[in-house]
Amino acid sequence: MNIKALRVFRSIVLQGSLAAAAERMHMSQSAASRLIGLLEAELKITLFSRNRRKLVLTLEGEMFYQEVEQVLGGIDEMQQIAADIRHRTTEKFTFVTSPPLGASLAVPAISRMRRAHPGFECRIHVEGRFDIENKVARRRFSLGLISLPVTNAIVELDAEPVFQARVGVLLPRNHALAAESSIAAAQLAQEPVVTLQGNQLWRRRLDEIYASAGITPHIAIESTSTILVQQLVREGNGISLIDRACLHPVPDAELALRPLVPERWVTYGCIYPVQGRSPLADLFLKCLREHLRALARTGARNDLRILKPGTALAEMHP
């Protein structure tokens, strides 16, 4: 398959028109159009519907684009990978996690690593959950940090549970419920909720908690970002459910986190290829546990359970 045709296809989707894509790729519109025609003939599917000289993705084109992004993303990284191999004079640590865990846990742990082992290089990515699991399994990253268990049954990964975080209710400091030492889901029945969209893991957890209490959440605002959810709660738009691991690392005097009753805990751990972990991955785990112990000493003791190295999922408290 012609890689240049795939790049033209992606460019048309991203730029919004054949003309803009051709200009960006320094080729004529006719040459770009010819490549798309050859690609469609090879695939035996129609990628664009042509209406009033505009190219609009078909359903098949939309599905194909998602796969093309994965393929070209990998190809685009090859040059950097080759450069790393040619010039590797120090060990490199590649790490991937979600945005909230990256800010709250990965950055402090990696800062500790660099103080202990200043010579290494590091590459940090933030991705969606599926991509984290998929790319770690394909050895694109040395280590990933996610909630457990692994949800992608197709990939082969090893995992080590590191800690558990208690689910709590996030609300403005001046909210009436902030005076409570703990909060039951039933107390939230009339509260507007700020949460993630329905296809995201934290939203599914919220729906399960409300359903177990026999109530329906009053969803006021949905977002794709945990960080935005926290800001929206801070501004008084509603309450949310979250745990200490996903909170912004800087203490916030305008927000309160109160434990949910009955207790619910989320297990977090590191995932790595089945071939094993690198020494730097082991160092990261050590530094992550050190940071968690420091976090517990500053007031999160009742919200965190730090697990011993080698703990198996079956050994943990529910």
Side-chain angles (χ1 to χ4, degrees):
M1 188 171 292
N2 190 322
I3 297 298
K4 189 171 186 179
L6 295 180
R7 293 192 184 280
V8 170
F9 169 66
R10 179 173 68 173
S11 186
I12 291 172
V13 175
L14 296 178
Q15 300 300 317
S17 72
L18 178 66
E23 181 179 359
R24 185 173 182 82
M25 298 195 66
H26 308 291
M27 60 194 308
S28 68
Q29 290 188 46
S30 60
S33 179
R34 185 163 56 252
L35 282 173
I36 293 299
L38 291 172
L39 181 61
E40 289 180 318
E42 183 178 0
L43 296 171
K44 297 182 174 58
I45 61 175
T46 301
L47 298 173
F48 296 101
S49 61
R50 293 157 175 84
N51 183 23
R52 296 182 182 178
R53 303 184 68 182
K54 290 184 65 177
L55 297 181
V56 179
L57 276 176
T58 62
L59 177 60
E60 293 87 352
E62 181 67 43
M63 296 171 65
F64 186 64
Y65 173 70
Q66 301 300 324
E67 301 302 322
V68 167
E69 273 294 343
Q70 294 284 339
V71 171
L72 293 182
I75 292 173
D76 290 343
E77 286 190 9
M78 291 301 172
Q79 189 172 0
Q80 182 60 51
I81 291 170
D84 291 344
I85 293 171
R86 289 195 305 270
H87 303 110
R88 183 173 292 166
T89 56
T90 57
E91 193 175 357
K92 174 162 283 191
F93 176 60
T94 55
F95 176 81
V96 60
T97 190
S98 63
L101 294 179
S104 64
L105 298 179
V107 169
I110 287 173
S111 297
R112 285 175 179 267
M113 286 178 69
R114 288 192 58 80
R115 289 195 291 271
H117 190 92
F120 82 91
E121 297 178 2
C122 182
R123 180 159 54 93
I124 307 171
H125 279 228
V126 291
E127 304 271 4
R129 184 184 183 91
F130 178 85
D131 286 332
I132 293 172
E133 295 178 359
N134 191 39
K135 291 180 180 180
V136 172
R138 289 159 48 201
R139 299 183 65 84
R140 294 272 293 277
F141 297 98
S142 313
L143 201 69
L145 177 63
I146 59 171
S147 62
L148 296 178
V150 172
T151 57
N152 186 348
I154 298 174
V155 300
E156 289 189 81
L157 288 167
D158 277 338
E160 179 171 329
V162 178
F163 71 99
Q164 292 179 304
R166 186 176 180 179
V167 176
V169 181
L170 186 70
L171 61 170
R173 180 73 65 176
N174 60 2
H175 193 288
L177 289 174
E180 303 283 344
S181 58
S182 62
I183 299 173
Q187 293 177 265
L188 306 176
Q190 304 303 317
E191 298 291 334
V193 178
V194 182
T195 185
L196 297 179
Q197 292 182 353
N199 61 338
Q200 296 184 272
L201 189 56
W202 261 110
R203 172 59 182 276
R204 294 201 294 273
R205 289 182 183 133
L206 182 143
D207 289 340
E208 290 168 4
I209 289 168
Y210 272 75
S212 68
I215 58 176
T216 301
H218 170 208
I219 306 299
I221 303 176
E222 294 181 312
S223 174
T224 58
S225 165
T226 304
I227 295 171
L228 285 184
V229 166
Q230 294 178 50
Q231 181 63 28
L232 287 162
V233 172
R234 181 183 293 107
E235 297 289 337
N237 291 285
I239 60 93
S240 192
L241 299 185
I242 199 168
D243 65 50
R244 180 74 61 175
C246 294
L247 281 179
H248 192 277
V250 178
D252 193 324
E254 298 179 21
L255 287 173
L257 181 67
R258 296 293 178 260
L260 186 72
V261 289
E263 292 184 15
R264 286 178 178 260
W265 294 80
V266 179
T267 301
Y268 291 93
C270 286
I271 57 173
Y272 48 94
V274 292
Q275 293 84 355
R277 295 199 305 253
S278 68
L280 283 177
D282 288 335
L283 178 60
F284 175 86
L285 279 169
K286 175 177 178 290
C287 292
L288 176 58
R289 285 189 170 94
E290 289 175 356
H291 170 66
L292 289 166
R293 284 191 286 270
L295 190 61
R297 288 193 296 270
T298 62
R301 182 182 302 277
N302 296 326
D303 297 331
L304 296 172
R305 294 172 177 161
I306 304 166
L307 305 172
K308 295 179 180 178
T311 300
L313 278 169
E315 300 174 31
M316 295 183 300
H317 300 289

